[in-house]
Amino acid sequence: MQHTDLPLHEYQPVELRDTPFFPQEDYQCGPAALATVLKVSGVDSAHPDTLREQIYIPDRQGSLQAELIAASRRAERIPYVLDTEFSALLRELYSGNPVLVLQNLALARWPQWHYAVVVGFKPDSETIILRSGTNKREEMSLRAFERTWQLADYWAMVVPPNGLTPATAEPLRYFAAVATMEQQQRWQTALAGYEAAEQRWPNDATSAFGMGNIAYQQQNYGLAEEHYYRASELDPQEAAIFYNLAWALFRQGKVAEAQLSAATAERLAPEHSVYGKAVSTLKAAD
Amino acid sequence: MNKKLAIGTSLLLGTFVFNPAVMPVAHADIVSTHDVVAEKQSGLDRAQLTEQLQRDDVREQLVKYGVNPDEAIARVSAMTDAEVLELTAGIEELPAGAGVSISLGAILVIVLVWLLVAR
C-alpha cells in the first residue's frame, strides 16, 4: 500500500471547503463528479443534468473514463490524468485542485465502479475527505480509500482552470493534452494551455511551436513566423520548428527565406521522412 | 476588440460546422504539435493512430448501448486516437463508474452466495 510510505508528519491538513456538491441520482456519479471539478475550474454552466447527456451510457448504467476526459474537452478545459501515485493526488490537492478518482467499492471480481472527488486530507487522523454519491462530506480512512482506489488502478484526473497547469504536470504529457485541444480546433483553450506551459517551462520550445501552429492554422502567417522564430531560438536543433517556419515564410511570399529554413530542417534531420525532404517539398508547392 | 470578436464568432461557428477530431488540418503542409509531441514520447503513441473505421465502430457501439446517435458523434469527436482504441476493446469490458446504487447489504449477500454456490 502506498499510503503507508507517506511521510504523514510532513503534511498539513487540507480541505477545499468551497468545492461544490452535486448529490448523485441513480447511477449518475460520473456526471456529478465531473460537474464538481468542472465547476471549480470555472465552467459556471457545469451541471450533472447536462453532463449526463455527454457521458452516461444507458445500457451500462455508468460512465467510462475516456468519456469524462472527452467531456472535459467539450467544456473547453484541459483534462490531465495523474500519475498513479498517492503523493501526486496530494500535491494536486495542496495546489487547490479537487481530484476526480475512480474507485471500486466492491471486489476485483465483482466490481462496483464509482467516481468521487477528493477534496481533503487529514494526516493526523489518516483520513481522506470526499464528495461522494449522496454524501457531501465523506471521510474515509487512508487504508480503506486506497484499497478502493487501488482496485481501480489508482486512476485520477484533474481539470485545472484555463491558464494554470496541474501541479504535477510533466511537460511532454501536458503538451500532449494541449495538442489534443489544438487538434480538435479548440483554439482558445489550446492557446491558454500553451501560454500556461510557457510560463511554467520557459525554456521548452514546444509552447511557442504550438502557438505558431495555432496561428498558422488560422492563416495568421506573420504571427506564426514570430512564434516559430522564438521556438527556434529555444531549440535550434529541432527540425520541426524550421520545417513549419519554412511554410509560414512561404505563405507570406518570402520564398528565398523559406528555402533557407527548409534547408536547415533538412540538415538537422536528413533521415526523417518529412524534414529530410523539406526543400523539395517546398519547391513542389511553389 | 472587433477582430477578437470576429475570431471568436468564426471559432464558434467552426465548432458547429466541423467535426473537429476527424477533420484534417486545413493546411496539411505543416507538421502538427500533436505529431511532434508523439514523436518525442515513446514510440507507443505513434502506433496509436486510428482509422475513421474505428471511430465509426466506437460510435456504433455507443448507440447500441443506448446513446443518442448525434450525441455519440460528438462524444467520439472529443476523444484522442488512444482513447478511441481503448473503447474499441469493448464498452462492456471497461469500468463504468456508476455509484453506490446497490446497498452494502446486497453486496454482502451476493458475496456470500458467490462463496457458497459458485465455488
Side-chain angles (χ1 to χ4, degrees), chain B residues 49-80:
Chain B
L49 294 175
T50 52
E51 305 286 336
Q52 185 57 40
L53 214 65
Q54 285 161 308
R55 288 192 175 263
D56 290 344
D57 173 52
V58 169
R59 183 177 48 75
E60 278 165 24
Q61 274 201 59
L62 285 172
V63 173
K64 212 177 82 192
Y65 278 91
V67 175
N68 158 324
D70 287 338
E71 177 52 34
I73 293 174
R75 288 192 191 189
V76 175
S77 301
M79 289 179 196
T80 62

Short mmCIF file of all heavy atoms in Angstrom, two decimals, chain B residues 49-80:
data_model
loop_
_atom_site.label_atom_id
_atom_site.label_comp_id
_atom_site.label_asym_id
_atom_site.label_seq_id
_atom_site.Cartn_x
_atom_site.Cartn_y
_atom_site.Cartn_z
N LEU B 49 -2.64 5.28 -33.84
CA LEU B 49 -3.41 6.08 -34.76
C LEU B 49 -4.63 5.28 -35.17
O LEU B 49 -4.56 4.09 -35.39
CB LEU B 49 -2.57 6.41 -35.99
CG LEU B 49 -1.37 7.31 -35.72
CD1 LEU B 49 -0.54 7.48 -36.98
CD2 LEU B 49 -1.82 8.66 -35.22
N THR B 50 -5.74 5.96 -35.23
CA THR B 50 -6.94 5.23 -35.60
C THR B 50 -7.39 5.60 -37.00
O THR B 50 -7.09 6.66 -37.51
CB THR B 50 -8.10 5.55 -34.65
OG1 THR B 50 -8.24 6.96 -34.58
CG2 THR B 50 -7.87 4.98 -33.29
N GLU B 51 -8.11 4.70 -37.58
CA GLU B 51 -8.75 4.96 -38.86
C GLU B 51 -10.16 5.45 -38.56
O GLU B 51 -10.69 5.22 -37.49
CB GLU B 51 -8.84 3.64 -39.66
CG GLU B 51 -7.51 2.97 -39.86
CD GLU B 51 -6.65 3.70 -40.89
OE1 GLU B 51 -7.22 4.40 -41.73
OE2 GLU B 51 -5.42 3.58 -40.81
N GLN B 52 -10.73 6.08 -39.55
CA GLN B 52 -12.12 6.53 -39.42
C GLN B 52 -13.01 5.34 -39.05
O GLN B 52 -13.95 5.46 -38.28
CB GLN B 52 -12.56 7.17 -40.73
CG GLN B 52 -13.95 7.77 -40.69
CD GLN B 52 -14.10 8.81 -39.60
OE1 GLN B 52 -13.20 9.60 -39.35
NE2 GLN B 52 -15.24 8.78 -38.92
N LEU B 53 -12.64 4.18 -39.57
CA LEU B 53 -13.42 2.98 -39.33
C LEU B 53 -13.58 2.69 -37.84
O LEU B 53 -14.63 2.30 -37.36
CB LEU B 53 -12.71 1.80 -40.02
CG LEU B 53 -13.59 0.72 -40.60
CD1 LEU B 53 -14.42 1.28 -41.74
CD2 LEU B 53 -12.72 -0.44 -41.11
N GLN B 54 -12.46 2.89 -37.11
CA GLN B 54 -12.51 2.59 -35.68
C GLN B 54 -13.36 3.60 -34.93
O GLN B 54 -14.05 3.25 -33.98
CB GLN B 54 -11.08 2.56 -35.13
CG GLN B 54 -10.36 1.29 -35.55
CD GLN B 54 -8.86 1.41 -35.43
OE1 GLN B 54 -8.27 2.35 -35.95
NE2 GLN B 54 -8.26 0.47 -34.75
N ARG B 55 -13.29 4.85 -35.38
CA ARG B 55 -14.16 5.86 -34.75
C ARG B 55 -15.63 5.52 -35.01
O ARG B 55 -16.47 5.64 -34.12
CB ARG B 55 -13.82 7.25 -35.29
CG ARG B 55 -12.49 7.75 -34.77
CD ARG B 55 -12.24 9.22 -35.04
NE ARG B 55 -10.99 9.60 -34.39
CZ ARG B 55 -10.92 10.17 -33.20
NH1 ARG B 55 -12.01 10.49 -32.55
NH2 ARG B 55 -9.76 10.45 -32.65
N ASP B 56 -15.91 5.06 -36.23
CA ASP B 56 -17.29 4.68 -36.54
C ASP B 56 -17.73 3.51 -35.68
O ASP B 56 -18.87 3.45 -35.22
CB ASP B 56 -17.41 4.29 -38.02
CG ASP B 56 -17.26 5.51 -38.93
OD1 ASP B 56 -17.37 6.64 -38.41
OD2 ASP B 56 -17.01 5.33 -40.14
N ASP B 57 -16.80 2.59 -35.46
CA ASP B 57 -17.11 1.40 -34.68
C ASP B 57 -17.48 1.77 -33.24
O ASP B 57 -18.48 1.30 -32.70
CB ASP B 57 -15.89 0.47 -34.70
CG ASP B 57 -16.07 -0.72 -33.77
OD1 ASP B 57 -17.11 -1.38 -33.90
OD2 ASP B 57 -15.20 -0.95 -32.92
N VAL B 58 -16.69 2.68 -32.64
CA VAL B 58 -16.98 3.10 -31.27
C VAL B 58 -18.31 3.85 -31.22
O VAL B 58 -19.12 3.66 -30.31
CB VAL B 58 -15.83 3.98 -30.72
CG1 VAL B 58 -16.22 4.63 -29.42
CG2 VAL B 58 -14.58 3.13 -30.53
N ARG B 59 -18.53 4.68 -32.23
CA ARG B 59 -19.78 5.45 -32.28
C ARG B 59 -20.97 4.49 -32.33
O ARG B 59 -21.95 4.63 -31.60
CB ARG B 59 -19.77 6.36 -33.51
CG ARG B 59 -20.97 7.25 -33.64
CD ARG B 59 -20.85 8.16 -34.85
NE ARG B 59 -20.46 7.45 -36.08
CZ ARG B 59 -21.28 6.68 -36.79
NH1 ARG B 59 -22.54 6.55 -36.42
NH2 ARG B 59 -20.86 6.06 -37.87
N GLU B 60 -20.85 3.45 -33.16
CA GLU B 60 -21.95 2.49 -33.28
C GLU B 60 -22.16 1.74 -31.97
O GLU B 60 -23.29 1.47 -31.57
CB GLU B 60 -21.66 1.49 -34.41
CG GLU B 60 -22.02 2.06 -35.78
CD GLU B 60 -21.41 1.26 -36.93
OE1 GLU B 60 -21.11 0.07 -36.73
OE2 GLU B 60 -21.23 1.85 -38.01
N GLN B 61 -21.04 1.40 -31.31
CA GLN B 61 -21.16 0.72 -30.01
C GLN B 61 -21.93 1.57 -29.02
O GLN B 61 -22.81 1.09 -28.31
CB GLN B 61 -19.77 0.45 -29.45
CG GLN B 61 -19.14 -0.83 -29.92
CD GLN B 61 -18.05 -1.25 -28.93
OE1 GLN B 61 -18.30 -1.46 -27.74
NE2 GLN B 61 -16.82 -1.33 -29.41
N LEU B 62 -21.57 2.87 -28.98
CA LEU B 62 -22.24 3.77 -28.04
C LEU B 62 -23.74 3.80 -28.32
O LEU B 62 -24.56 3.75 -27.40
CB LEU B 62 -21.65 5.18 -28.14
CG LEU B 62 -20.28 5.39 -27.51
CD1 LEU B 62 -19.73 6.77 -27.84
CD2 LEU B 62 -20.36 5.23 -25.99
N VAL B 63 -24.08 3.86 -29.60
CA VAL B 63 -25.51 3.90 -29.96
C VAL B 63 -26.18 2.60 -29.52
O VAL B 63 -27.29 2.61 -28.98
CB VAL B 63 -25.67 4.14 -31.48
CG1 VAL B 63 -27.13 4.00 -31.89
CG2 VAL B 63 -25.14 5.52 -31.85
N LYS B 64 -25.46 1.50 -29.72
CA LYS B 64 -26.01 0.20 -29.33
C LYS B 64 -26.29 0.16 -27.82
O LYS B 64 -27.22 -0.49 -27.37
CB LYS B 64 -25.01 -0.90 -29.70
CG LYS B 64 -25.65 -2.21 -30.08
CD LYS B 64 -24.60 -3.22 -30.51
CE LYS B 64 -23.95 -3.89 -29.32
NZ LYS B 64 -22.76 -4.67 -29.67
N TYR B 65 -25.45 0.87 -27.07
CA TYR B 65 -25.63 0.89 -25.61
C TYR B 65 -26.59 1.99 -25.16
O TYR B 65 -26.64 2.32 -23.99
CB TYR B 65 -24.27 1.04 -24.92
CG TYR B 65 -23.54 -0.26 -24.79
CD1 TYR B 65 -22.66 -0.67 -25.79
CD2 TYR B 65 -23.73 -1.11 -23.71
CE1 TYR B 65 -21.98 -1.88 -25.69
CE2 TYR B 65 -23.07 -2.31 -23.61
CZ TYR B 65 -22.19 -2.70 -24.60
OH TYR B 65 -21.54 -3.90 -24.49
N GLY B 66 -27.29 2.57 -26.12
CA GLY B 66 -28.38 3.46 -25.74
C GLY B 66 -28.09 4.95 -25.83
O GLY B 66 -28.89 5.77 -25.40
N VAL B 67 -26.91 5.31 -26.39
CA VAL B 67 -26.60 6.73 -26.52
C VAL B 67 -27.24 7.27 -27.79
O VAL B 67 -27.22 6.61 -28.84
CB VAL B 67 -25.06 6.95 -26.56
CG1 VAL B 67 -24.73 8.41 -26.82
CG2 VAL B 67 -24.43 6.48 -25.26
N ASN B 68 -27.80 8.46 -27.71
CA ASN B 68 -28.40 9.13 -28.85
C ASN B 68 -27.37 9.29 -29.98
O ASN B 68 -26.24 9.69 -29.73
CB ASN B 68 -28.93 10.45 -28.28
CG ASN B 68 -29.13 11.54 -29.29
OD1 ASN B 68 -28.39 11.69 -30.26
ND2 ASN B 68 -30.15 12.30 -29.05
N PRO B 69 -27.72 8.95 -31.23
CA PRO B 69 -26.74 8.93 -32.34
C PRO B 69 -25.97 10.24 -32.54
O PRO B 69 -24.75 10.20 -32.75
CB PRO B 69 -27.59 8.61 -33.56
CG PRO B 69 -28.79 7.91 -33.03
CD PRO B 69 -29.04 8.48 -31.67
N ASP B 70 -26.64 11.37 -32.48
CA ASP B 70 -25.94 12.65 -32.66
C ASP B 70 -24.94 12.87 -31.53
O ASP B 70 -23.82 13.33 -31.74
CB ASP B 70 -26.94 13.82 -32.67
CG ASP B 70 -27.73 13.84 -33.95
OD1 ASP B 70 -27.25 13.26 -34.95
OD2 ASP B 70 -28.84 14.42 -33.97
N GLU B 71 -25.37 12.52 -30.34
CA GLU B 71 -24.51 12.69 -29.18
C GLU B 71 -23.29 11.76 -29.30
O GLU B 71 -22.18 12.14 -28.95
CB GLU B 71 -25.32 12.38 -27.91
CG GLU B 71 -24.56 12.43 -26.62
CD GLU B 71 -23.78 13.71 -26.40
OE1 GLU B 71 -24.24 14.79 -26.82
OE2 GLU B 71 -22.67 13.63 -25.81
N ALA B 72 -23.50 10.58 -29.82
CA ALA B 72 -22.39 9.63 -29.98
C ALA B 72 -21.31 10.21 -30.89
O ALA B 72 -20.12 10.04 -30.63
CB ALA B 72 -22.90 8.30 -30.53
N ILE B 73 -21.72 10.93 -31.93
CA ILE B 73 -20.75 11.56 -32.83
C ILE B 73 -19.92 12.59 -32.06
O ILE B 73 -18.69 12.61 -32.14
CB ILE B 73 -21.48 12.24 -34.01
CG1 ILE B 73 -22.14 11.19 -34.89
CG2 ILE B 73 -20.50 13.09 -34.83
CD1 ILE B 73 -23.02 11.76 -36.00
N ALA B 74 -20.61 13.42 -31.28
CA ALA B 74 -19.91 14.46 -30.53
C ALA B 74 -18.96 13.85 -29.50
O ALA B 74 -17.85 14.34 -29.29
CB ALA B 74 -20.92 15.37 -29.83
N ARG B 75 -19.39 12.75 -28.88
CA ARG B 75 -18.53 12.12 -27.87
C ARG B 75 -17.25 11.61 -28.50
O ARG B 75 -16.15 11.85 -27.99
CB ARG B 75 -19.26 10.93 -27.22
CG ARG B 75 -20.39 11.34 -26.30
CD ARG B 75 -20.85 10.14 -25.50
NE ARG B 75 -22.09 10.41 -24.79
CZ ARG B 75 -22.60 9.59 -23.89
NH1 ARG B 75 -22.00 8.47 -23.59
NH2 ARG B 75 -23.73 9.89 -23.27
N VAL B 76 -17.38 10.88 -29.60
CA VAL B 76 -16.20 10.29 -30.23
C VAL B 76 -15.27 11.38 -30.78
O VAL B 76 -14.05 11.26 -30.73
CB VAL B 76 -16.62 9.29 -31.34
CG1 VAL B 76 -15.41 8.77 -32.10
CG2 VAL B 76 -17.39 8.13 -30.73
N SER B 77 -15.86 12.48 -31.26
CA SER B 77 -15.04 13.56 -31.81
C SER B 77 -14.13 14.18 -30.77
O SER B 77 -13.08 14.72 -31.10
CB SER B 77 -15.93 14.66 -32.38
OG SER B 77 -16.74 14.15 -33.38
N ALA B 78 -14.53 14.13 -29.51
CA ALA B 78 -13.75 14.77 -28.46
C ALA B 78 -12.69 13.83 -27.87
O ALA B 78 -12.01 14.17 -26.93
CB ALA B 78 -14.66 15.30 -27.36
N MET B 79 -12.58 12.63 -28.47
CA MET B 79 -11.61 11.65 -27.95
C MET B 79 -10.35 11.63 -28.81
O MET B 79 -10.39 11.90 -30.00
CB MET B 79 -12.21 10.24 -27.95
CG MET B 79 -13.29 10.06 -26.92
SD MET B 79 -13.98 8.40 -27.02
CE MET B 79 -15.48 8.63 -26.07
N THR B 80 -9.23 11.26 -28.19
CA THR B 80 -7.99 11.07 -28.94
C THR B 80 -8.00 9.69 -29.57
O THR B 80 -8.83 8.85 -29.23
CB THR B 80 -6.77 11.15 -28.01
OG1 THR B 80 -6.87 10.09 -27.06
CG2 THR B 80 -6.68 12.48 -27.29
#
